[in-house]
Amino acid sequence: MQPTPQVGYKERAMQAEIIAVGSELLTPYRQDTNSLFLTDRLNRLGIEVIRKTIVGDDRKQIAGAFAEALRRAELVISIGGLGPTEDDQTREAAAEVLGRRLRRDEAVLREIQERFRRYGRKMAPVNERQAMVPEGAEPLPNPNGTAPGLWIETDGRLVVLLPGPPRELMPMFLEHVEPRLRERAGDVLLLTRELRVAGMAESDVEQRIAPIYTRYEGVQTTLLASPGEIQIHLRAWTRDPEHANKTLDELTDRLAVALGTHLFTTRGESLEEVVARLLNTHGATLALAESITGGLIAQRLTSIPGSSSYLVGGIVCYSNEVKTAWVGVPAELIRQKGAVSAEVALALAQQIRERSGATLGLGITGIAGPGGGTAEKPVGTVFVALADGRRTIERNAHFPGDRERIRWQAAQLALDLIRHYFQFPTGQP
Amino acid sequence: MQPTPQVGYKERAMQAEIIAVGSELLTPYRQDTNSLFLTDRLNRLGIEVIRKTIVGDDRKQIAGAFAEALRRAELVISIGGLGPTEDDQTREAAAEVLGRRLRRDEAVLREIQERFRRYGRKMAPVNERQAMVPEGAEPLPNPNGTAPGLWIETDGRLVVLLPGPPRELMPMFLEHVEPRLRERAGDVLLLTRELRVAGMAESDVEQRIAPIYTRYEGVQTTLLASPGEIQIHLRAWTRDPEHANKTLDELTDRLAVALGTHLFTTRGESLEEVVARLLNTHGATLALAESITGGLIAQRLTSIPGSSSYLVGGIVCYSNEVKTAWVGVPAELIRQKGAVSAEVALALAQQIRERSGATLGLGITGIAGPGGGTAEKPVGTVFVALADGRRTIERNAHFPGDRERIRWQAAQLALDLIRHYFQFPTGQP
């Protein structure tokens, strides 16, 4: 049983392929990321990306990729290979596949020369190659570099050549490509929602929500897992935004019920953004005493503009001496219970709160590894506590993974504890 | 003029293509990252990756990608699409392209059933699909999931089907694919070096080193820029490792001379690793007073195992009150010079050192934005100081970019100042 009619939710204006050109993109060190930006912008126009191809700086390979893509897609966008050197072969490959000659475009050449003049540099003869334009192609201005883009129409298909550097590609696409594509794409819209969940495994999230979202066939649902967090992306293409918005809202509501207190946003916010908003809304301030996370919680909270309004300060108290001297945890307590214990987390929270005058104090301690674990307290053990002067709440966990992963999950646990404090003040933490 | 003979440095054992399968990889949210791992491992065997293709969960698209790849490469590796649901079509697409029938492999089926039994779960009928194996294919065991991999030999070409989840793909590749490929690949080796530079723009690095590395044609040189850091990757494939190592060492030495004091590693270390090593080597300890970076420097230094041996502690002193109360910067100084000033950075460094008893104190202050900038001190202004009780060194900078980028560059500047303190004790900071 479908809860609502699905017809029309998978409408697409056009299908596109992206070809990323560059031998460095075939090494273990570098990855094409421009295609994520392009996919996002294309999707918003109702254009679906059906394939991405990554090839090296080799004219035959590039030409082959163009030829294949043009057999499948109405729109082919290439990224990179428009530079001045012999390595850069995208222009030549596209011209070859489309059966067009390259001619020197005097206006483009003047622009390149002008650019060099402006920066007081002499134009090398190789840069003349960048003024070569396939017959019938339209150059797209590049205010941030010497390589113009190219817009080519051919047998009802579109070929767009964009430069590789993001600061050249992005403005060129937004200013010169997107408006033209919008005209052709018509009135298909992409509507999205993003839910995020803390403290659940991906498989648990999937088990809870799959019975719901699979009934909404017109909505594309993607789960994305990172340590301590699962993102749920909902997308619907439509020509009837009112109806699609209603469906997305309904699906969001049902997923929210299924996810319960684990859900921390339906608007794609980060956990630190949510915590920052809650602190601001409640006029509360926070002080941190971080052992295992070593400044990560402070760094995440201060990554948000305006964080000085709620973050009084933080102490990174790695050593027992600093826990005692700077935060005020009794040395005797550390000796008795161990630095990694619920009692020390609690003392950190209470003491940092008192010393700072903040509304809330948060203390966290644990073992990030690789060394330092014991049978009783293995690597990955974390204790976190929050104190407000009247009551305290605590959590502990045992996280898998390496040092970085453990520390990130510990920070998630701490931030999520603050969220629970505000959102479920009377419930279990 | 070539400084050394280059012959034999571009030897390859084999050419490979990677096909990543999954509709989620064609959204703006997700990216294939398995191919970076595979490329690294393949390159080490002397196998070059000549193309990467990303297709959705569509049998026709997957089959097309296989057919095209097999026309070009001796080795085709697919990632993903081996799950139990109707979405998973890689097995079927490969069988179709290779003209082989799928038959149920009873041994594989028993393993899947056994796995479900072990976890006390009932096997759904759909999981039987995962026991379907193309004729003549060899299943590759998957201890971390239900989907076996597949190894298929066909007309002198190799097709390998791997599952998508990294924790299934990686061990399967290392245990069952790599040893077989090594046998075929023969004795071609990949030798690498990685240099890293702080405090230089990519174009400046390129200008200094291009005249050198371009003369080493057999060495593949890739520059990778991130905020405040440039990585220079050198790679050479060879059957003569002794000679290639000599060449790589020679090139590394020449690049090191050209890069001067900006070079912080020739072994691919992170800046925090280098700083940690220097602190340990000199038996020095460090205390931090962070304003603009908000805990980022502490977080980076504590990301390294054993950081408690040199990091005494840190204070995140966002507000002026905390700068005064916790660190001991005179309120009068902040009033006179402003919180973002060389004087306050210096006071933070000196005071945190005294209060902590550390060998070195580091203080940093600045404006990360987006608000808070003035004509005199615009967003991106940073002051950092290091004190050792005898002398102090300072730096200031004006960084471009958004809040995150500015904070990261500020942390780089601070870490690099500590490095300079140890490596160039008498020179300019």
Side-chain angles (χ1 to χ4, degrees):
Chain A
M1 189 197 77
Q2 292 291 337
T4 51
Q6 298 300 318
V7 184
Y9 278 45
K10 287 164 128 175
E11 303 221 30
R12 301 289 192 282
M14 208 187 276
Q15 291 192 321
E17 293 203 15
I18 296 172
I19 301 170
V21 179
S23 296
E24 74 280 9
L25 302 176
L26 294 172
T27 67
Y29 315 120
R30 255 199 183 175
Q31 197 162 20
D32 149 61
T33 50
N34 285 314
S35 70
L36 297 180
F37 165 80
L38 289 180
T39 301
D40 182 39
R41 302 309 306 184
L42 292 170
N43 285 174
R44 284 168 200 274
L45 298 171
I47 300 171
E48 187 183 18
V49 175
I50 57 167
R51 187 182 289 218
K52 300 199 276 189
T53 305
I54 297 132
V55 288
D57 296 305
D58 178 294
R59 191 191 300 196
K60 209 178 131 214
Q61 287 279 352
I62 305 168
F66 269 116
E68 290 162 10
L70 281 165
R71 281 199 287 274
R72 290 179 298 250
E74 299 155 72
L75 169 64
V76 178
I77 300 183
S78 74
I79 303 166
L82 298 181
T85 75
E86 281 299 321
D87 274 359
D88 298 293
Q89 292 285 342
T90 305
R91 261 181 311 265
E92 288 73 10
E96 183 185 313
V97 166
L98 299 172
R100 309 213 183 174
R101 266 179 303 203
L102 285 166
R103 57 167 186 78
R104 198 166 79 175
D105 186 306
E106 297 304 327
V108 170
L109 184 62
R110 273 194 304 276
E111 262 175 57
I112 298 173
Q113 288 167 333
E114 178 50 37
R115 190 180 165 79
F116 275 93
R117 208 169 296 129
R118 226 168 28 242
Y119 287 94
R121 287 164 54 202
K122 206 176 126 49
M123 193 184 97
V126 289
N127 283 89
E128 285 193 24
R129 285 191 64 217
Q130 298 187 294
M132 299 303 284
V133 169
E135 280 174 349
E138 210 176 320
L140 305 170
N142 182 356
N144 297 315
T146 52
L150 292 168
W151 172 280
I152 312 171
E153 311 206 2
T154 173
D155 301 332
R157 317 225 145 194
L158 291 172
V159 180
V160 182
L161 277 53
L162 298 174
R167 57 184 289 277
E168 300 181 26
L169 173 140
M170 290 183 184
M172 185 184 291
F173 184 86
L174 295 174
E175 284 164 42
H176 301 290
V177 181
E178 194 166 291
R180 295 174 196 221
L181 289 177
R182 184 174 289 122
E183 262 174 50
R184 311 212 168 207
D187 57 353
V188 174
L189 270 179
L190 175 70
L191 300 173
T192 63
R193 299 287 186 280
E194 183 184 341
L195 291 80
R196 295 191 183 189
V197 165
M200 280 180 87
E202 185 178 13
S203 54
D204 293 338
V205 173
E206 175 70 10
Q207 210 171 339
R208 283 204 201 181
I209 69 172
I212 302 165
Y213 75 71
T214 48
R215 292 167 67 188
Y216 289 72
E217 281 193 1
V219 180
Q220 185 187 4
T221 302
T222 310
L223 267 70
L224 182 55
S226 60
E229 184 169 315
I230 312 291
Q231 300 172 6
I232 304 156
H233 294 270
L234 311 179
R235 313 199 312 156
W237 279 273
T238 184
R239 290 186 205 271
D240 181 356
E242 200 186 325
H243 188 231
N245 267 320
K246 239 180 86 183
T247 307
L248 282 172
D249 286 341
E250 182 192 293
L251 174 54
T252 301
D253 288 348
R254 290 188 184 186
L255 296 178
V257 170
L259 295 165
T261 61
H262 294 283
L263 180 76
F264 66 82
T265 182
T266 57
R267 295 182 292 174
E269 296 161 295
S270 69
L271 189 50
E272 47 268 40
E273 280 178 291
V274 172
V275 168
R277 183 164 43 73
L278 287 167
L279 286 163
N280 274 328
T281 307
H282 290 83
T285 57
L286 176 69
L288 304 166
E290 298 185 61
S291 180
I292 181 174
T293 43
L296 178 57
I297 302 172
Q299 183 258 311
R300 287 178 63 179
L301 283 171
T302 57
S303 72
I304 296 162
S307 46
S308 48
S309 70
Y310 54 81
L311 188 73
V312 174
I315 288 181
V316 176
C317 47
Y318 236 54
S319 69
N320 292 345
E321 292 68 36
V322 166
K323 286 185 184 75
T324 300
W326 289 10
V327 188
V329 178
E332 184 54 29
L333 183 73
I334 298 176
R335 254 194 304 280
Q336 275 176 17
K337 304 292 180 180
V340 177
S341 61
E343 290 82 359
V344 166
L346 198 59
L348 286 169
Q350 287 170 328
Q351 292 293 322
I352 195 73
R353 187 188 155 274
E354 273 180 35
R355 298 209 162 187
S356 65
T359 324
L360 295 172
L362 184 127
I364 188 163
T365 178
I367 303 162
T374 63
E376 202 195 339
K377 290 172 186 171
V379 167
T381 302
V382 176
F383 296 94
V384 57
L386 188 69
D388 71 358
R390 292 174 299 115
R391 67 187 184 108
T392 56
I393 52 176
E394 298 161 47
R395 277 193 194 169
N396 65 74
H398 176 228
F399 294 120
D402 61 12
R403 186 176 175 88
E404 192 190 335
R405 212 177 158 87
I406 288 168
R407 280 158 42 103
W408 188 266
Q409 290 174 99
Q412 285 288 101
L413 184 71
L415 292 170
D416 207 40
L417 186 65
I418 304 172
R419 178 179 72 87
H420 272 252
Y421 171 83
F422 288 114
Q423 292 190 332
F424 310 100
T426 56
Q428 64 193 40
Chain B
M1 187 197 78
Q2 293 291 338
T4 51
Q6 298 299 319
V7 184
Y9 278 43
K10 287 164 127 175
E11 303 222 30
R12 300 291 192 282
M14 207 186 279
Q15 291 192 320
E17 292 204 15
I18 296 172
I19 301 170
V21 179
S23 297
E24 74 280 9
L25 302 176
L26 294 172
T27 68
Y29 315 120
R30 254 199 183 174
Q31 199 162 18
D32 149 62
T33 50
N34 285 312
S35 70
L36 298 180
F37 164 81
L38 289 179
T39 301
D40 181 41
R41 302 308 306 184
L42 292 170
N43 286 172
R44 285 170 199 274
L45 298 171
I47 300 171
E48 186 184 19
V49 175
I50 58 167
R51 187 183 290 219
K52 300 199 277 190
T53 304
I54 297 133
V55 288
D57 296 305
D58 178 295
R59 191 191 299 196
K60 210 179 130 210
Q61 287 279 351
I62 305 168
F66 270 117
E68 290 162 10
L70 281 165
R71 282 200 286 274
R72 291 179 298 251
E74 300 155 72
L75 170 63
V76 177
I77 301 182
S78 74
I79 303 167
L82 298 180
T85 75
E86 282 298 320
D87 274 358
D88 297 294
Q89 293 284 342
T90 305
R91 260 182 311 265
E92 288 72 11
E96 184 186 314
V97 166
L98 299 172
R100 309 213 184 175
R101 265 180 303 202
L102 285 167
R103 57 167 185 78
R104 198 166 78 176
D105 186 307
E106 296 304 327
V108 169
L109 184 63
R110 273 194 303 277
E111 261 175 59
I112 297 174
Q113 288 168 332
E114 179 50 39
R115 190 180 166 79
F116 273 93
R117 209 169 293 130
R118 226 168 28 243
Y119 287 94
R121 287 164 54 202
K122 206 176 128 49
M123 192 185 98
V126 287
N127 283 90
E128 285 193 23
R129 285 190 66 217
Q130 297 188 295
M132 299 303 284
V133 169
E135 279 175 349
E138 210 175 320
L140 305 170
N142 181 357
N144 297 314
T146 51
L150 292 167
W151 172 279
I152 312 170
E153 310 206 4
T154 174
D155 302 332
R157 318 225 145 194
L158 291 172
V159 179
V160 182
L161 277 53
L162 298 174
R167 57 184 289 277
E168 300 181 26
L169 173 140
M170 289 183 184
M172 186 185 291
F173 185 86
L174 295 174
E175 283 163 43
H176 301 290
V177 181
E178 195 166 291
R180 296 174 195 219
L181 288 178
R182 184 174 289 120
E183 262 175 47
R184 312 212 167 205
D187 59 351
V188 174
L189 270 179
L190 175 70
L191 300 173
T192 64
R193 298 288 187 279
E194 184 184 340
L195 292 79
R196 294 190 183 189
V197 164
M200 280 182 87
E202 185 178 13
S203 54
D204 293 339
V205 173
E206 174 72 10
Q207 210 171 339
R208 283 206 200 178
I209 69 172
I212 302 166
Y213 76 70
T214 47
R215 291 167 67 188
Y216 289 73
E217 280 192 2
V219 180
Q220 184 188 3
T221 301
T222 310
L223 268 69
L224 182 55
S226 59
E229 184 169 315
I230 311 290
Q231 300 172 7
I232 304 155
H233 294 271
L234 311 179
R235 313 198 313 156
W237 279 272
T238 183
R239 291 186 204 274
D240 181 355
E242 200 185 325
H243 189 230
N245 267 319
K246 239 181 87 183
T247 308
L248 282 172
D249 286 341
E250 182 191 292
L251 174 54
T252 301
D253 289 348
R254 291 188 184 187
L255 295 179
V257 169
L259 294 165
T261 61
H262 293 283
L263 181 76
F264 66 82
T265 182
T266 57
R267 294 182 293 173
E269 296 161 296
S270 68
L271 189 50
E272 47 268 40
E273 281 177 290
V274 171
V275 168
R277 183 164 44 72
L278 287 167
L279 286 162
N280 274 329
T281 307
H282 289 83
T285 57
L286 177 69
L288 304 166
E290 297 185 62
S291 181
I292 181 173
T293 43
L296 177 58
I297 302 172
Q299 183 259 311
R300 287 179 62 179
L301 284 170
T302 57
S303 72
I304 296 161
S307 47
S308 48
S309 70
Y310 53 83
L311 188 73
V312 174
I315 289 180
V316 176
C317 47
Y318 236 54
S319 69
N320 292 345
E321 292 70 34
V322 166
K323 286 185 183 74
T324 300
W326 290 9
V327 189
V329 178
E332 184 55 30
L333 183 73
I334 299 176
R335 255 193 304 279
Q336 275 177 16
K337 304 292 179 181
V340 177
S341 61
E343 290 82 359
V344 166
L346 198 59
L348 286 171
Q350 287 170 328
Q351 291 293 323
I352 196 73
R353 187 187 156 274
E354 272 179 36
R355 297 210 162 187
S356 65
T359 324
L360 295 172
L362 183 125
I364 188 163
T365 179
I367 303 164
T374 62
E376 203 196 339
K377 291 171 186 170
V379 168
T381 302
V382 177
F383 295 94
V384 58
L386 187 69
D388 71 358
R390 292 173 300 113
R391 67 185 185 109
T392 56
I393 52 176
E394 296 160 49
R395 276 193 196 170
N396 64 75
H398 177 226
F399 294 119
D402 61 13
R403 187 175 175 89
E404 192 190 334
R405 213 176 158 88
I406 288 168
R407 280 159 42 103
W408 188 267
Q409 291 174 97
Q412 285 289 103
L413 183 72
L415 292 169
D416 206 40
L417 186 64
I418 303 172
R419 177 179 73 86
H420 272 252
Y421 171 83
F422 288 114
Q423 292 190 331
F424 310 101
T426 55
Q428 65 195 38

